[in-house]
């Protein structure tokens, strides 16, 4: 029998979501963000890139402008107004101390209790190969959550060390442990993905609204089977 998922902790006030590209958070996680902001919690986004290599029909400079605009719009739908872009090159992010430093600095600036990132594993569900950017950023986030609290690691960041990260939650994990009931946030999760219209239209001939609804509702329904029948977004939770 498949094990049931535990509810995510609720005794926190600030979260920081760190991912590689515009749209990474909208492919499911945004419904959870909507639920959190509804409850009065503060959520900020940090994107390593502007997704400039993500639309084949647009040259990178134009794509970056479009995707930044779409990301800010998608974030606003779920109650997030603070969105930062770190300026790493889309598609060729390298795991290493430079990336860890940028992410540790972001954590120190925002001082979250909960850090959210995306699947750093080699595959999606053991079937589809994950992209290098997702793997690099997800792994670096897990490390940077510890780096941020150590004053002797990256001592020259502008913000002071922050040892207040209590959990790192990995969305899209192949081995989730927890979930968030997104009954109230599901519709806005769909709408947040629809805001990435240029990206979706370059990806598929399906109507963006239909594409987003089928995908987001499908993920939530699948997770519901392990969460008491309630539509949900799953995470692998790493306590710190």
């Amino acid at each position: 029998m498949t094990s049931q998922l535990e509810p995510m902790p609720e005794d926190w006030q600030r979260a920081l979501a760190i991912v590689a590209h515009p749209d990474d958070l909208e492919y499911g996680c945004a419904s959870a963000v909507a639920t959190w902001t509804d409850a009065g919690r503060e959520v900020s986004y940090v994107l390593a890139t502007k997704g400039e290599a993500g639309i084949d029909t647009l040259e990178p400079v134009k794509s970056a402008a479009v995707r930044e605009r779409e990301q800010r719009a998608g974030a606003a739908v779920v109650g997030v107004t603070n969105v930062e872009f770190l300026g790493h090159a889309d598609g060729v992010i390298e795991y290493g101390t430079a990336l860890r430093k940028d992410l540790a600095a972001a954590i120190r600036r925002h001082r979250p209790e909960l850090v959210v990132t995306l699947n750093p594993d080699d595959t999606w569900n053991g079937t589809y190969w994950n992209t290098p950017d997702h793997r690099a950023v997800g792994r670096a986030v897990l490390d940077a959550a510890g780096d941020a609290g150590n004053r002797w690691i990256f001592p020259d960041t502008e913000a002071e060390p922050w040892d207040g990260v209590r959990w790192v939650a990995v969305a899209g994990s192949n081995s989730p442990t927890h979930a968030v009931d997104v009954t109230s946030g599901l519709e806005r999760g769909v709408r947040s993905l629809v805001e990435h219209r240029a990206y979706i239209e370059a990806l598929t001939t399906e109507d963006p609204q239909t594409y987003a609804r089928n995908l987001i509702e499908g993920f939530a329904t699948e997770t519901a089977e392990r969460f008491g029948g309630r539509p949900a977004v799953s995470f692998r939770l790493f306590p710190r």
Side-chain angles (χ1 to χ4, degrees):
M1 181 179 293
T2 304
S3 61
Q4 294 295 295
L5 300 168
E6 296 292 324
M8 280 280 286
E10 295 186 354
D11 56 333
W12 57 271
Q13 185 58 35
R14 289 188 310 278
L16 177 64
I18 307 175
V19 292
H21 314 110
D23 79 54
D24 283 351
L25 290 164
E26 282 67 42
Y27 273 90
C29 188
S31 298
V33 174
T35 302
W36 291 333
T37 58
D38 274 357
R41 298 186 177 92
E42 177 185 337
V43 183
S44 300
Y45 286 178
V46 167
L47 290 298
T49 79
K50 291 187 177 182
E52 65 272 13
I55 300 179
D56 183 63
T57 54
L58 279 182
E59 60 186 78
V61 172
K62 293 180 179 178
S63 178
V66 169
R67 301 202 72 199
E68 178 179 350
R69 184 172 63 250
E70 291 186 339
Q71 179 59 73
R72 293 189 187 281
V77 169
V78 294
V80 175
T81 57
N82 193 345
V83 182
E84 294 183 12
F85 297 85
L86 299 180
H88 287 259
D90 186 14
V92 292
I93 300 175
E94 294 186 15
Y95 174 87
T97 53
L99 179 60
R100 282 171 50 199
K101 181 178 181 178
D102 280 353
L103 302 188
I107 292 169
R108 288 171 178 174
R109 285 195 302 275
H110 291 277
R111 308 178 85 75
E113 300 149 87
L114 173 67
V115 172
V116 176
T117 193
L118 195 64
N119 177 24
D121 296 341
D122 287 343
T123 67
W124 296 100
N125 203 30
T127 302
Y128 300 101
W129 191 248
N130 200 357
T131 72
D133 285 358
H134 293 154
R135 300 197 310 270
V137 172
R139 186 176 182 87
V141 169
L142 286 160
D143 292 335
D147 296 336
N150 188 326
R151 69 179 61 253
W152 308 119
I153 299 176
F154 311 130
D156 56 342
T157 62
E158 184 176 348
E160 290 296 311
W162 171 248
D163 196 29
V165 176
R166 299 167 62 192
W167 311 274
V168 178
V170 176
S173 171
N174 296 327
S175 51
T177 56
H178 291 68
V180 176
D181 183 339
V182 295
T183 301
S184 64
L186 189 59
E187 183 61 30
R188 274 165 298 154
V190 172
R191 285 169 43 209
S192 72
L193 180 54
V194 174
E195 291 293 343
H196 294 270
R197 182 173 294 274
Y199 178 75
I200 294 171
E201 288 177 344
L203 192 67
T204 177
T205 58
E206 192 173 9
D207 171 69
Q209 178 73 37
T210 303
Y211 170 85
R213 185 167 301 282
N214 288 343
L215 204 68
I216 300 309
E217 290 184 352
F219 288 154
T221 300
E222 182 178 350
T223 305
E225 296 175 7
R226 298 181 60 186
F227 201 58
R230 294 165 288 169
V233 171
S234 66
F235 298 89
R236 180 164 187 180
L237 193 67
F238 292 94
R240 292 200 48 79

